[in-house]
Amino acid sequence: MASALDELQKDLEEVKVLLEKATRKRVRDALTVEKSRIETEIKNKMQQKAQGKADSLDNEKPAAVVAPLTTGYTVKISNYGWDQSDKFVKIYITLTGVHQVPAENVQVHFTERSFDLLVKDLNGKNYSMIVNNLLKPISVEGSSKKVKTDTVLIMCRKKAESMRWDYLTQVEKECKDKEKPSYDTETDPSEGLMNVLKKIYEDGDDDMKRTINKAWVESREKQAKGDTEF
């Protein structure tokens, strides 16, 4: 684990150096997304390492019944759903039988921009979910969890109430933003220009729309003429 962390730290430092030198927006956007991804992976590995030490200490206590934890393994939770109200962002995790395990086996830790869920000894397995870089800050004190039939509900209290979240995490937002200009890459450079013109047209006043319409008609006429002559 230590060597993997060292490699990630080296990757992060190199990306930071490249980010400082990059001048092209698309390059900077890509490097920013990669930087966030590496930082998240480093944090996840550090938390897993800390959790491993904590479990190891628990295993040393003779009075604790920990056989299912040592013989089982940890499953990373990747499937979930989420929605929001004015006050809360709600994350729904489906785990069959979770309502039947002891309450202390379902643990959630919150920070201002993250949360991690650990469900211990559910059908001989542990289940873990770590979400870092939440889109906006949350109130640690106001956040909580609820265990329902086959479901864990994590309720993150928004610090800024009534403010809508378009994404759950900052990384998701950056990835989506990165995808927006992808039309002007290798496939068809003209598509990127068309998207820009479409955006200008939608946001423009009547004069701007007339100008764009005129340019479009002239372009089509010139293209048709060229095809005929050819």
Side-chain angles (χ1 to χ4, degrees):
M1 181 67 73
S3 61
L5 278 173
D6 290 342
E7 290 300 318
L8 286 171
Q9 291 286 3
K10 291 177 182 177
D11 290 346
L12 181 59
E13 291 303 317
E14 187 163 330
V15 169
K16 286 180 178 179
V17 171
L18 293 172
L19 192 55
E20 289 177 0
K21 295 180 179 179
T23 57
R24 302 285 295 175
K25 183 179 184 303
R26 285 181 55 202
V27 175
R28 289 185 60 83
D29 288 346
L31 289 172
T32 299
V33 172
E34 181 64 13
K35 176 174 171 288
S36 297
R37 186 191 68 77
I38 295 173
E39 289 173 341
T40 299
E41 191 171 349
I42 289 173
K43 189 169 184 179
N44 289 349
K45 287 189 179 295
M46 292 179 70
Q47 289 179 341
Q48 289 170 7
K49 185 178 180 181
Q51 184 63 50
K53 289 182 179 179
D55 288 345
S56 177
L57 291 174
D58 288 341
N59 293 340
E60 292 174 4
K61 298 177 182 178
V65 181
V66 294
L69 294 180
T70 55
T71 56
Y73 60 93
T74 299
V75 178
K76 289 186 178 181
I77 300 170
S78 57
N79 294 325
Y80 62 90
W82 72 282
D83 63 13
Q84 61 187 303
S85 62
D86 287 343
K87 295 183 179 180
F88 289 94
V89 172
K90 304 172 186 178
I91 298 91
Y92 300 86
I93 300 103
T94 299
L95 291 171
T96 303
V98 69
H99 58 288
Q100 297 174 337
V101 303
E104 60 269 19
N105 281 24
V106 182
Q107 304 169 2
V108 182
H109 174 69
F110 296 96
T111 72
E112 191 177 69
R113 295 296 291 268
S114 71
F115 69 83
D116 61 85
L117 165 69
L118 178 63
V119 179
K120 296 183 179 181
D121 191 18
L122 174 58
N123 299 322
K125 301 174 186 176
N126 306 321
Y127 291 83
S128 172
M129 178 180 180
I130 300 173
V131 177
N132 296 309
N133 297 316
L134 290 170
L135 185 68
K136 300 180 187 298
I138 63 173
S139 167
V140 175
E141 297 77 12
S143 299
S144 61
K145 75 174 188 303
K146 291 182 181 180
V147 179
K148 301 184 177 183
T149 303
D150 297 331
T151 302
V152 178
L153 170 59
I154 297 176
M155 302 183 67
C156 298
R157 180 69 179 256
K158 295 178 179 179
K159 272 201 169 181
E161 294 184 5
S162 301
M163 182 171 288
R164 179 174 175 78
W165 290 29
D166 293 325
Y167 306 94
L168 183 60
T169 67
Q170 183 66 28
V171 173
E172 289 176 15
K173 179 181 183 300
E174 290 172 354
C175 288
K176 290 294 183 182
D177 289 345
K178 180 175 177 287
E179 290 173 4
K180 288 179 182 178
S182 63
Y183 297 107
D184 61 351
T185 56
E186 299 83 10
T187 53
D188 187 358
S190 65
E191 273 195 61
L193 178 58
M194 290 302 301
N195 288 334
V196 173
L197 290 175
K198 188 182 297 183
K199 183 74 169 65
I200 294 174
Y201 184 89
E202 291 172 351
D203 296 343
D205 56 18
D206 291 339
D207 289 337
M208 178 61 71
K209 290 179 179 179
R210 281 194 293 269
T211 300
I212 293 176
N213 281 332
K214 181 180 178 183
W216 172 256
V217 170
E218 290 176 353
S219 174
R220 298 295 293 178
E221 289 176 348
K222 187 178 296 184
Q223 183 179 357
K225 183 179 178 182
D227 291 341
T228 302
E229 291 175 352
F230 183 82

